[in-house]
Amino acid sequence: MQEYFIVIISAVLINNIVLSQFLGICPFLGVSKKLSASLGMGAAVSFVLVLSGAITWAVQTYILNPFNIGYLQTVAFILVIASLVQFVEMVVKKFSPAMYKALGIYLPLITTNCAVLGVAIINVKKEYSLAMTMVHSLSHAAGFTLALVLMSGIRERLEDSDIPESMRGTPIALIVAALMSIAFLGFSGLI
């Protein structure tokens, strides 16, 4: 049980996929302007991360390893992730057109989100069991969502702040992201 707790705290805070490992920066900066869009993107990425973790674990364990074709890992994982993203995109478009419009181009970009592929590869490299893979993937999804929600909350407050014209938009977002990353480095002493 302690092993699971360590993996959860590590993935959410210490090795946060966005703020410590700097993966998934594109949707982090692009979708974090509004809290609702951040929550929607966090949910979509969480769904893809957890399912892709389970499926890539099975692909690695039952196909790539037995047939000694591990060199196809990246291609196989990207195909799994792309299929899941297409499924998520269809579901969101059907059941929440407003969310689909708010996420815009960033929803299909989950396919190329290096955070999703990175977590799948980390799961394989650490030789996690299926249960640990699910916990690890879900924890990274929670960390990704936490980073998005924190960033969107700050950016919404910055909209009402008196910021010099040259610093509005992307420049202040990059500064905030850098400061958040430095703050998350403070968690590295926890475990």
Side-chain angles (χ1 to χ4, degrees):
M1 195 65 184
Q2 181 181 1
E3 184 179 340
Y4 287 98
F5 180 73
I6 290 171
V7 166
I8 292 168
I9 296 300
S10 176
V12 173
L13 298 175
I14 298 167
N15 294 317
N16 185 288
I17 202 77
V18 176
L19 298 172
S20 294
Q21 296 183 27
F22 308 110
L23 299 174
I25 298 294
C26 179
F28 172 70
L29 291 174
V31 180
S32 62
K33 293 178 184 173
K34 297 287 181 210
L35 182 61
S36 60
S38 293
L39 289 170
M41 178 59 87
V45 169
S46 297
F47 179 79
V48 171
L49 258 173
V50 172
L51 277 182
S52 68
I55 295 170
T56 56
W57 179 88
V59 166
Q60 185 73 34
T61 303
Y62 297 115
I63 298 172
L64 299 179
N65 288 347
F67 293 107
N68 203 21
I69 53 174
Y71 57 88
L72 293 175
Q73 180 186 66
T74 303
V75 174
F77 287 8
I78 288 173
L79 288 173
V80 167
I81 293 165
S83 300
L84 288 171
V85 169
Q86 287 300 308
F87 175 72
V88 168
E89 188 174 8
M90 289 186 304
V91 169
V92 170
K93 188 175 184 178
K94 173 101 172 140
F95 293 107
S96 183
M99 180 61 68
Y100 180 78
K101 187 176 179 187
L103 293 176
I105 187 66
Y106 296 102
L107 187 58
L109 283 179
I110 295 173
T111 301
T112 60
N113 187 341
C114 51
V116 178
L117 180 60
V119 170
I121 291 174
I122 290 169
N123 288 334
V124 170
K125 282 194 179 220
K126 292 195 175 192
E127 298 179 356
Y128 285 146
S129 65
L130 179 58
M132 185 60 86
T133 294
M134 299 300 290
V135 168
H136 185 251
S137 298
L138 186 60
S139 300
H140 272 298
F144 184 85
T145 304
L146 174 67
L148 273 175
V149 168
L150 289 173
M151 183 66 166
S152 66
I154 292 169
R155 287 182 78 177
E156 282 184 357
R157 300 247 345 214
L158 286 173
E159 289 294 319
D160 299 329
S161 299
D162 186 29
I163 299 172
E165 186 68 34
S166 62
M167 293 299 292
R168 291 182 191 203
T170 303
I172 195 70
L174 291 173
I175 291 170
V176 168
L179 291 173
M180 285 176 61
S181 180
I182 290 169
F184 267 67
L185 285 175
F187 291 123
S188 63
L190 286 178
I191 296 176

